[in-house]
Amino acid sequence: MKVTFETPKDDEEDEIIVRCRRIDSNLMSILQSFGTEKKTLNGYIDNNIALLSYDDVYYFEAVENHVYAYCKSDVYEVKYKLYELEENCRSMDFIRCSKSLIVNLSKIKYLSPMFNGRLEALLKNDEKVIISRQYVPELRRKLGI
């Protein structure tokens, strides 16, 4: 399969063209995900509600029956369970990295090996998160390393 990306001109809108010999169920599920993927979520901070883009979230963390979205400088509570966010983010650049953490792969600056097969990820906002050894193989697969 060949994949081609082109940047449209400023006055053109984004467009997806699909050329295939036959349409199968895998292709249909990919095409359906373009229109149904939720790109924003509500974040709660200081009795205010903010509309957050998944692209702005560095990681999600579950702490004492609450789930928080960590952005560049702010932390928001979100009204989802971690497994629900994992399902919502499946087609995006997020990956589960421990029982209580989901990280945005596009926000990782670099990875460092640690003891017992774990990895430490330094994020672009200079925070560090630990990737548990049980989740390292999936991370390697997604990153192609």
Side-chain angles (χ1 to χ4, degrees):
M1 177 188 329
K2 176 180 157 184
V3 178
T4 304
F5 292 95
E6 296 177 0
T7 304
K9 296 176 184 164
D10 291 337
D11 61 339
E12 296 177 331
E13 68 178 285
D14 293 342
E15 176 183 27
I16 297 172
I17 299 171
V18 178
R19 291 188 192 136
C20 60
R21 300 204 186 286
R22 71 182 166 85
I23 298 174
D24 60 11
S25 60
N26 289 335
L27 179 61
M28 286 306 297
S29 68
I30 290 169
L31 293 174
Q32 289 172 347
S33 71
F34 284 115
T36 60
E37 185 177 288
K38 191 172 181 182
K39 294 172 180 52
T40 60
L41 72 157
N42 293 333
Y44 300 85
I45 185 170
D46 299 329
N47 296 323
N48 295 312
I49 301 172
L51 191 60
L52 303 177
S53 168
Y54 280 96
D55 293 336
D56 295 334
V57 176
Y58 282 69
Y59 62 95
F60 295 103
E61 182 177 32
V63 179
E64 297 178 359
N65 295 324
H66 296 278
V67 177
Y68 299 94
Y70 290 77
C71 297
K72 185 171 186 172
S73 58
D74 292 319
V75 179
Y76 301 88
E77 184 174 357
V78 294
K79 303 296 183 186
Y80 287 100
K81 302 288 185 197
L82 211 55
Y83 71 87
E84 293 171 325
L85 287 168
E86 185 176 23
E87 184 63 33
N88 291 347
C89 299
R90 188 168 306 281
S91 63
M92 294 181 253
D93 275 344
F94 286 84
I95 188 167
R96 176 72 77 115
C97 62
S98 72
K99 288 182 179 180
S100 62
L101 207 71
I102 297 172
V103 71
N104 186 341
L105 294 176
S106 67
K107 302 297 185 188
I108 294 176
K109 192 184 289 187
Y110 67 79
L111 298 166
S112 300
M114 295 183 66
F115 302 110
N116 298 327
R118 296 182 302 164
L119 293 174
E120 180 181 74
L122 177 67
L123 304 179
K124 292 179 180 177
N125 65 351
D126 292 325
E127 286 190 56
K128 293 179 181 178
V129 296
I130 303 298
I131 293 122
S132 299
R133 68 175 181 234
Q134 130 184 30
Y135 298 95
V136 168
E138 177 64 15
L139 174 71
R140 290 183 188 274
R141 186 193 66 75
K142 218 163 184 185
L143 293 176
I145 55 175

